Amino acid sequence: MIVLIGGEKGGTGKTTLATNLAAKRVLAGRDVLLIDTDAQGSANDWAQSREESDAKPARVACIQKFGKGLQAEAQDLAKRYDDIIIDAGGRDSVELRAALVVSDKAYIPIQPSQFDIWTLDRMDELVGSAQGFNPDLRAWVVISRVSTNPSVHESQEAREILADFSRLELSAVVVRDRIAYRKAARGGLCVDELKPKDPKASEEVGLLYEEIFGG
Ligand SMILES: Nc1ncnc2c1ncn2[C@@H]1O[C@H](COP(=O)(O)OP(=O)(O)OP(=O)(O)O)[C@@H](O)[C@H]1O
Ligand SMILES: [Mg+2]
């Protein structure tokens, strides 16, 4: 399966989710490739620090790929790997568009503070044009980096706003702002590998993982 974690907004947790999902998928015994399409290279840095980690975690293969060639390359690589997870940077880019055309599923993390109609409108449009080439593409918005002191309104509001968009679905999972995500990222780990573990972070990632790869 090819899964894109992407979107036009910066800092929404795309790399955090892409790296956690990739590591978790590797731990489940799958042959996984993480493709970093962002010139910042944070997913690639994460994979690198993972290789250097004293904890000796299982390797997550990662390559960087920029430009239009991503489309053909990802299609070709999909024959060699069980799963491909693409981390696409926080802006409307050639890579984001190419990734939408090759992906089975797209997850778009959005912070509640950035949950505006304009962003969703643009993403809905991008998904729509990608579906012209890739009719089976499905796209979910996942509300990310939500305060751990939540008002229930945040997801409710999101649900109501999303009802107006034909192509975007709302993930059942809400990812909260937790130190564990930052700690894991620094060490090249996923939240499941932290010691001590933050069970709530692990649960969230587990639910997202199930939603994407389960059944
Ligand atoms: N759920 C979370 N809880 C706590 N910190 C988080 C969470 N998600 C992301 N962060 C932190 O926020 C920062 C931005 O996250 P991340 O790099 O994953 O976002 P991004 O969407 O990939 O950003 P960019 O658009 O720059 O690629 C990082 O320092 C990361 O550790
Ligand atoms: Mg990123």
Side-chain angles (χ1 to χ4, degrees):
M1 188 187 310
I2 306 184
V3 180
L4 161 69
I5 313 291
E8 287 192 302
K9 291 273 179 172
T12 59
K14 295 179 293 297
T15 301
T16 301
L17 295 180
T19 53
N20 270 279
L21 291 166
K24 213 171 153 64
R25 202 71 179 139
V26 164
L27 294 175
R30 304 276 295 187
D31 211 359
V32 178
L33 178 68
L34 178 61
I35 304 185
D36 188 350
T37 72
D38 188 344
Q40 287 182 95
S42 353
N44 197 55
D45 290 346
W46 171 87
Q48 192 67 43
S49 48
R50 188 170 175 87
E51 290 196 8
E52 290 156 9
S53 165
D54 295 334
K56 301 257 175 280
R59 181 164 185 271
V60 175
C62 180
I63 58 163
Q64 288 181 286
K65 187 76 205 162
F66 310 117
K68 260 199 179 146
L70 172 67
Q71 191 177 324
E73 181 100 6
Q75 269 158 343
D76 186 40
L77 288 163
K79 295 177 203 140
R80 285 189 264 153
Y81 287 89
D82 297 331
D83 300 297
I84 293 189
I85 297 175
I86 304 175
D87 178 4
R91 62 203 162 81
D92 179 2
S93 61
V94 172
E95 291 83 2
L96 177 60
R97 288 167 182 255
L100 282 168
V101 173
V102 296
S103 294
D104 300 291
K105 299 184 175 182
Y107 271 75
I108 304 154
I110 293 186
Q111 287 175 250
S113 59
Q114 300 181 328
F115 207 94
D116 53 62
I117 304 280
W118 188 83
T119 309
L120 293 170
D121 225 14
R122 296 274 308 133
M123 279 316 303
D124 196 54
E125 253 178 61
L126 281 184
V127 169
S129 25
Q131 281 169 339
F133 306 94
N134 180 12
D136 295 333
L137 169 69
R138 285 181 70 186
W140 286 263
V141 166
V142 54
I143 309 173
S144 169
R145 306 194 62 187
V146 181
S147 155
T148 42
N149 289 319
S151 67
V152 231
H153 303 306
E154 282 174 336
S155 339
Q156 188 49 38
E157 258 174 40
R159 206 169 295 280
E160 283 163 18
I161 295 175
L162 269 170
D164 293 337
F165 295 93
S166 50
R167 303 168 191 111
L168 303 177
E169 303 172 53
L170 181 63
S171 165
V173 183
V174 171
V175 178
R176 300 199 182 275
D177 205 81
R178 301 184 192 281
I179 292 162
Y181 290 107
R182 272 174 244 142
K183 269 196 197 153
R186 275 200 296 274
L189 302 175
C190 68
V191 288
D192 282 356
E193 294 165 322
L194 277 182
K195 288 187 184 124
K197 232 171 101 146
D198 174 346
K200 290 186 176 157
S202 284
E203 192 193 348
E204 278 165 9
V205 172
L207 289 170
L208 188 63
Y209 178 94
E210 272 308 309
E211 189 178 282
I212 298 174
F213 298 109

